[in-house]
Amino acid sequence: MPIVNDLTIKIGGEAGQGVESSGAGFAKAVARAGLFIYGLQDYMSRIRGGHNFYQVRISEQEIWTFRDAVHMLLPLTTEAVERHWREVVPGGAVLYDVGVRFDEAPLRERGVQLFPMPLMKIAEEQGGSRIMMNTAALGAVAGITEFDFAYIADIIETNFKRKGSAVVEGNLKVARYAYDAGQQQYAAQFPWKLRARPGPQRMVINGNQAIALGAIAAGCRFISGYPMTPATSILEYMNAKSHQFNIVCKQTEDEIAGILFAIGAAHAGARAMCATSGGGLCLMTEALGFAGCTETPLVVVDSQRAGPSTGLPTRTEQGDLLFVLHASHGEWPRIVLTPGTIEECFWAAVRAFNLAEKYQTPVLIMQDLTQSNAIRAVPKERFDFSQVTIDRGKLLTAEELDRIDNYRRHLVTEDGISPRALPGHPNAVYVTTGDEHTEYGFITEEADIRRAQMEKRMRKEEVAQAEMRLPVRYGPEDAELTFVGWGSTYGALREAVDVLNQDGPRANLLHFMEVWPLDWARVGALLAQAKQLVLVEQNYTGQLGRLLRAQTGQTMDKRILKYDGRPISTDEILAGVRGEVRAEVKVYA
Amino acid sequence: MPIVNDLTIKIGGEAGQGVESSGAGFAKAVARAGLFIYGLQDYMSRIRGGHNFYQVRISEQEIWTFRDAVHMLLPLTTEAVERHWREVVPGGAVLYDVGVRFDEAPLRERGVQLFPMPLMKIAEEQGGSRIMMNTAALGAVAGITEFDFAYIADIIETNFKRKGSAVVEGNLKVARYAYDAGQQQYAAQFPWKLRARPGPQRMVINGNQAIALGAIAAGCRFISGYPMTPATSILEYMNAKSHQFNIVCKQTEDEIAGILFAIGAAHAGARAMCATSGGGLCLMTEALGFAGCTETPLVVVDSQRAGPSTGLPTRTEQGDLLFVLHASHGEWPRIVLTPGTIEECFWAAVRAFNLAEKYQTPVLIMQDLTQSNAIRAVPKERFDFSQVTIDRGKLLTAEELDRIDNYRRHLVTEDGISPRALPGHPNAVYVTTGDEHTEYGFITEEADIRRAQMEKRMRKEEVAQAEMRLPVRYGPEDAELTFVGWGSTYGALREAVDVLNQDGPRANLLHFMEVWPLDWARVGALLAQAKQLVLVEQNYTGQLGRLLRAQTGQTMDKRILKYDGRPISTDEILAGVRGEVRAEVKVYA
Amino acid sequence: MLDIKLYNSPEKSTWCPGCGDFGILNAVKQALAMLELYPHEAIVVSGIGCGSKLPHYIHANGFNILHGRALPVAQGLKLANHDLKVIVVTGDGDGYGIGMGHLVHAMRRNTDLVHIVENNQIYGLTKGQYSPTSDKGFVTTTSPDGAIEPAVNPMLLGIANGATFVARGFSSEPKYLAQLIARGIQHRGYALIDVLQPCVTYNKVNTNAWYKQRAYHLEEEEPDYDPTDRVQAFQKAHEWGDRIPLGVIYLDETRPTYEEQVPALKHGPLVKQPLDGTPLEVWEAIKQEFV
Amino acid sequence: MLDIKLYNSPEKSTWCPGCGDFGILNAVKQALAMLELYPHEAIVVSGIGCGSKLPHYIHANGFNILHGRALPVAQGLKLANHDLKVIVVTGDGDGYGIGMGHLVHAMRRNTDLVHIVENNQIYGLTKGQYSPTSDKGFVTTTSPDGAIEPAVNPMLLGIANGATFVARGFSSEPKYLAQLIARGIQHRGYALIDVLQPCVTYNKVNTNAWYKQRAYHLEEEEPDYDPTDRVQAFQKAHEWGDRIPLGVIYLDETRPTYEEQVPALKHGPLVKQPLDGTPLEVWEAIKQEFV
Ligand SMILES: Cc1ncc(C[n+]2csc(CCOP(=O)(O)OP(=O)(O)O)c2C)c(N)n1
Ligand SMILES: Cc1ncc(C[n+]2csc(CCOP(=O)(O)OP(=O)(O)O)c2C)c(N)n1
Ligand code: SF4
Ligand code: SF4
Ligand SMILES: [Mg+2]
Ligand SMILES: [Mg+2]
């Protein structure tokens, strides 16, 4: 009996062997065939060599994450076999070039099938170049899974056309040949199949692209910053779109300048952002407080990677939550968004710019490496640009300014928000400063003015709270077990909930897509309703759990924590719930 | 009936008028006479003009803070009268040069006595220079309070001798003349008197000097950093002692370099430190995590001033607690000390260097502007250098290294602490890095090694916890009301406890002199014993309260918060407890 | 020429009587008046230090940033709204110490702004520590044995790192300084104007008299001096000590500004572009790129 | 001459085959061998980037710091233990970009260390963005229209900012480079050695062939060239493009090092001084100062 449209393919090899491009290419082909995919990228902090992998999960239903089980492993190196053969399910297969040598015994013992093929030879003979070996491999996979070759042809066309028709032709020939060979040799033995389900188109997009798209949609036309994995691709995407949307993209001398350029641009009136990772955010700390004090709207993305320090530069973590919530000395209002899906990334970016201008203060978006890079097939309508609105808050128009008099940039108001004028109008010539200041923006040291300004600024957080999103619930209202998470773990948790609701115990999820400020009384009430709170985080100390206890008094009953730089899987979460011990995950009850 | 040895004198005037030197000079004279003093400095972020004051409280019993009531006001300007006359108690006096004009009516109405004197004229005629006017004023105060002139003569000698004998003579003449004139004219009307109580000598010292002294005592011979109020005086004191103790003092290009120089020196084996305020600490954030990751011992002082951003550069706050606890991305072990008295500053510094080397990680000392600058008369035996011990932890000696083989800088051990070799020995040639690393210090991305290193580092915090000080209790074990505080508010809280235990309700204090890591179960038990927890902090959000709730689940019953840059006084705390509303302080129940 | 009173701020200055910053403030106002730039057309961006309080004492747009961080903000501001005339004011500690990295990169970029450095060779606001321009041997509380590092040479710094206008003024000659500042504002690109500024309170060596004795007007004393000659400028830049040249030491009018070369700014200032109004088809096309 | 194998590390390098960093690693080892410096006598301090992984691939003390932050750590280290020979290795982004502020101040200070910049004119480890030394017009993912800023000129930077040894090497000539590095180590003070280093993966313009075609040995082709002549050096420093001089461009052997001028170091390295043992009388006298 074939198992249709439910499998995971994993390609492993050295950096520079095209692991990612092949994997992502195959994923896109499958997505075009109307299937859902999730593509997970794992790579080392080096440019060539070492060991990377790419894992594509395919399903007929919408999927939100990867799963541990691999059905087809494509090792480009011996190391790839050694590292991953245990993940292949019995009955699954390893498809490899005959040149890749390894000890076959344990695989056979496990019941893993071996599918050697002369992939390199096919590439050379059919395409004229060894480079096309990955095409051969993917062609073979398609053949073995009996996936409609048209989609493979299609993606080859798309991906290689800028290299010229000869390259396209070569790859097509290689793919076709391998397809046929694979089908002939192994299709009968391999139960997992891929069947196209033509239907509405879906976008194959990662979280950083979604953030960048959201920013552009929100009218962000200024990004400054410094390359840093895994945030660089935001800067790069904005650069790629700079002509089309007239975006000023400035690579600065460092992250300090990165955020300061954005502050300057924001002060002038542009919607401005920067994107970095933890180390860069450290350097932005001082300027963040400055923006808070001067009431400058600003959006900063922290795409987290595993720390401390340089840590694991190409690996994931949720280690910056408490740092982001308290970064910079003294106290000032901030808003922190923690989107948990790729579509949420888009909307978080849109919302961030509106909140930043509405509350005239920095908004931070917490991203992480997994969600930066992982791709999903997302229904197009989730990116409904017609729903994007731009709210510039109390920004004074030229007409309003024409009528204004005695302008005070930091006017004390009930909601703490002051009418904002951009520099350049004769009726609103003002100065502002990171020193404590009067309503006019002049430096002051008077205690009463200080209190009024401090209270005014902090009031913005209190006011914003009312419109911030409470944790989203997934799963039934009543459950034995309530997961608590934030950010990119949404997918893994959501699928864990699904599994548990089939296998028991009854579970649901409270997931924080926004984390500061919140209506903590309501959050507390939500948490209090739960029978058993199970915190799942990708860090060592359970940072969200600490925050929730500080703000609501609620304590987590169980904590499932992972901090080795690899994304936590649904399977690991399930194991944690079920009390199975795994080295990768720490469970505290 | 004279009121002996219990009064507060306040001098107010422009920056550049010698307010601080006069006030501190007088305080020292009084201390030499065997009385206890507390001297509070208030100054603006400007070099000349504006309005500063200095407030000296004098007592026969040991005192720990200032009090609001002023008995004698010495205004050098009209502004000083206007700002401070309300603080003078009925029956108290304003002593001023005849040239200072102000509206006398409200003062008289309040029952404040006016003591005009030709101070300027005395200075010119007796000393030949107007500069000596402050000497005249202090001489007059001494006369009016009938303080033994010998102590005034003595301090003039001390303070002016480096300016030559003519200056000393001139000041002496001025002081004597004003003393006699003051005594004759006003002594009979002024009930507050100062009587010398010869006895053991006491040190008149501020918190920053105490930290610097403690550092030197602990063998710190390297300080690098960048000037920033209110931390600069630590750097300056170390410079002043650099010849005597062979201290390398390096003013660097910025705070980033400041901490990095110290990290370099610490790695080489020196006991190294830096001192800064919040803005500078922001810039040190990235390097802090690096030191944590590379297990470099380091001591960093954060002398807090009012934020956010540049804020109120010469005013106080306890606004950095949560920032310091979470500064830098990712997770790494840190130790945070929060000394609450000047003698604690000394011992905190000593302890910081020992803890830093023992746990091979950064130790932060949280200071604040008030405690940086305020002076107290402290019994000499509290600085008992014979009790200073130097514990370098698992630092390998040359002899041990001679015998070592296969040295691993980051050896995984039970307590998380690895034997430490300084670079330079042939048996311990090693590299280390802020990337995740193997036991040898080489970059790694292996998940299992990562987990082992992460756990090893974090274990150090768990181990350290056992030797960290629980909050100190002041006051009776059983009390109706328990204050909770940290850092420099100790004095104000301690005296509030004393007042309450006289007037009711029965009170005590749990004061955190160290704040991370702690045995939280025991802290929780201490808090749980209290009938009513009253948090007192100098910040807007009650940061310690938030931390305590996160770590122990205990919630504060009342919060008394002040965030206008001025130090909270015993009187304000009492008012808060008693439900009196004061604009300066926010009380939340 | 506008009325200089137009630029009067309601704020009273906090500087010490006799401070050189007064002369600089005066010169900035004069320059704006000379160029007939109204208060709303210019923005004064500063760091932190005594002199960096200047934006509070002049009626013009002002943005008073962090210590050492004025230049990047000023550049971001200019990139977002190049209609504004940007005047950056920093101290020597601010500009040449903590801000050195930003400074060198700003020089390379050649963003159109004028950067006035109030160079009192000391850290004023923090009460007298040595600064990057303090002469070797200068004694302060943090250099009790005299500063070890040789002073930063701002002229050389500018010439070597790509500044296109490198000049020196003196706060006690506000008219002359105003002219330099006006030229700096008019110069298209990054203009450095280092200003000798006596700190009467903390610098007892480089006093007003000390500067007066040494300062001379380059264009008067050496009428043949050609600031566009790099080698000559390099040599002249070394002059410091007995004689200190004032005037434009180096000038390069050939390099385009940074913002002129940014394609996104071809259509005018960024802040004058609409944020929304992109047709849905455009978004659909972009979405299609991901299919 | 020691055996170069002495410096072999157990770690396998992670560099791309053909990367110029191999040549630099080799040259550093050779230089140490030539000078007979044992692994424990030297410490290699680096930043973050491809090239900054070098300390892992050489058997010597190593300290691999943050991106842009090697120099201040190296200086602190030297001040605490001036018996160690300090070799700093950074990328061009690292040294001339984010690290610019530290660099200029390190040059002024003249701490005794050699600073090797692996200058591939690109950000390698982050996968190919333009760097401060990328030539104007250089196209990358973050400069799709070509870099706007003119490249930093390391030679000029060194000369203008007080470096006392300013040289250029080429990774494909490791022997020549080793000699330069050895000279740099022997030089008393801050020595900058900028190294042309092909990045085979991301820099397809400034390739090995590109450098080979242009690089020449200054001391061979211009035997009269005098690196101690500042003006000549200034002029020579501008040479880049068709011809690229290798060798010592500028040399000043007259300035003392920073650490020689620190009074506290007169008695030898700081780390060799005892931490305790101050007699109680001394402490009592200090306490007395507060009475
Ligand atoms: C990050 C940071 N570090 C230190 C300070 C403290 N600080 C304020 S002004 C200043 C130096 C002032 O010197 P300079 O820039 O020359 O200006 P001046 O006061 O002499 O005009 C310093 C160190 C600060 N505000 N921020
Ligand atoms: C504060 C910080 N910002 C950014 C990064 C990301 N990063 C790592 S290496 C690098 C640049 C590498 O370029 P270069 O210094 O020239 O070294 P190369 O890789 O070319 O040898 C960057 C931006 C980082 N590690 N830390
Ligand atoms: S301290 Fe110096 S620079 Fe500052 S205001 Fe006074 S004179 Fe001017
Ligand atoms: S990316 Fe470039 S610099 Fe980095 S290792 Fe590869 S070739 Fe060398
Ligand atoms: Mg200055
Ligand atoms: Mg590079």
Side-chain angles (χ1 to χ4, degrees), chain B residues 47-48, chain C residues 14-21 50-51 120 122 124-125 197-203:
Chain B
I47 308 302
R48 292 280 178 272
Chain C
T14 55
W15 292 320
C16 307
C19 176
D21 288 332
C50 289
N120 53 11
I122 194 111
L125 193 57
Q197 177 240 321
C199 167
V200 296
T201 305
Y202 293 114
N203 192 330

Side-chain angles (χ1 to χ4, degrees), chain D residues 9 20 24 37 47 55 86 102 138 175 178 184 196 224 228 236 240 250 273:
Chain D
S9 159
I24 299 176
L37 283 168
V86 178
H102 302 313
F138 192 74
K175 280 235 176 69
L196 308 176
D224 291 341
T228 68
K236 180 51 73 185
W240 177 265
Y250 179 65
Q273 311 302 314

Side-chain angles (χ1 to χ4, degrees), chain B residues 535-550:
Chain B
L535 180 74
V536 177
E537 288 192 71
Q538 296 239 157
N539 56 46
Y540 186 91
T541 62
Q543 300 189 17
L544 176 67
R546 292 163 67 196
L547 175 71
L548 293 178
R549 197 173 188 206

Side-chain angles (χ1 to χ4, degrees), chain B residues 6-158:
Chain B
D6 185 7
L7 87 164
T8 289
I9 296 166
K10 184 166 195 162
I11 312 178
E14 294 184 356
Q17 284 190 307
V19 166
E20 193 261 340
S21 56
S22 307
F26 191 76
K28 201 157 184 177
V30 174
R32 285 183 179 178
L35 303 180
F36 285 95
I37 62 97
Y38 182 94
L40 178 73
Q41 190 187 353
D42 176 291
Y43 59 113
M44 293 182 76
S45 181
R46 58 190 289 173
I47 308 302
R48 292 280 178 272
H51 176 72
N52 294 358
F53 70 77
Y54 200 91
Q55 188 160 336
V56 184
R57 180 174 165 219
I58 301 163
S59 170
E60 197 150 331
Q61 278 74 48
E62 180 156 23
I63 49 176
W64 302 84
T65 189
F66 65 99
R67 292 297 296 266
D68 289 0
V70 171
H71 306 91
M72 172 88 78
L73 177 65
L74 271 70
L76 306 181
T77 59
T78 303
E79 182 173 354
V81 186
E82 287 165 353
R83 283 189 179 260
H84 301 299
W85 69 265
R86 287 171 199 79
E87 300 159 23
V88 182
V89 297
V94 180
L95 172 71
Y96 57 102
D97 180 68
V98 289
V100 178
R101 316 256 156 204
F102 55 91
D103 179 7
E104 300 175 358
L107 282 78
R108 289 192 201 282
E109 202 170 310
R110 184 177 165 81
V112 172
Q113 306 188 68
L114 301 183
F115 294 174
M117 285 183 73
L119 299 170
M120 181 80 84
K121 210 172 132 214
I122 294 173
E124 276 177 339
E125 291 183 0
Q126 302 298 317
S129 161
R130 295 166 148 238
I131 293 181
M132 297 180 193
M133 192 180 88
N134 292 357
T135 301
L138 296 175
V141 173
I144 296 169
T145 55
E146 294 173 336
F147 180 47
D148 186 343
F149 185 75
Y151 293 101
I152 298 295
D154 186 40
I155 200 75
I156 287 175
E157 186 86 33
T158 308

Side-chain angles (χ1 to χ4, degrees), chain D residues 9-121:
Chain D
S9 159
E11 278 296 286
K12 263 178 46 185
S13 116
T14 55
W15 293 319
C16 308
C19 175
D21 288 333
F22 288 103
I24 299 176
L25 172 62
N26 190 273
V28 174
K29 289 180 180 179
Q30 276 187 46
L32 290 175
M34 273 159 58
L35 298 176
E36 308 203 334
L37 283 168
Y38 284 91
H40 69 281
E41 295 176 312
I43 183 159
V44 186
V45 183
S46 71
I48 293 290
C50 289
S52 285
K53 293 183 183 171
L54 190 143
H56 295 271
Y57 310 140
I58 184 169
H59 181 65
N61 297 303
F63 203 14
N64 178 192
I65 320 299
L66 298 158
H67 187 48
R69 310 298 170 197
L71 275 174
V73 171
Q75 292 168 83
L77 226 153
K78 186 77 185 182
L79 281 173
N81 186 358
H82 57 260
D83 278 353
L84 287 172
K85 290 285 173 196
V86 178
I87 297 164
V88 178
V89 178
T90 74
D92 47 326
D94 206 288
Y96 305 136
I98 190 168
M100 180 60 91
H102 302 313
L103 176 65
V104 172
H105 290 290
M107 287 171 166
R108 291 171 59 213
R109 250 171 231 136
N110 205 33
T111 308
D112 183 20
L113 53 84
V114 59
H115 179 189
I116 300 166
V117 182
E118 298 152 308
N119 185 357
N120 52 11
Q121 306 186 250

Side-chain angles (χ1 to χ4, degrees), chain A residues 83 331 446 455 541 563, chain B residues 83 331 446 455 541 563:
Chain A
R83 283 188 180 262
E331 293 159 305
E446 293 302 329
E455 287 160 9
T541 62
Y563 43 83
Chain B
R83 283 189 179 260
E331 293 160 305
E446 294 302 330
E455 287 159 9
T541 62
Y563 44 83

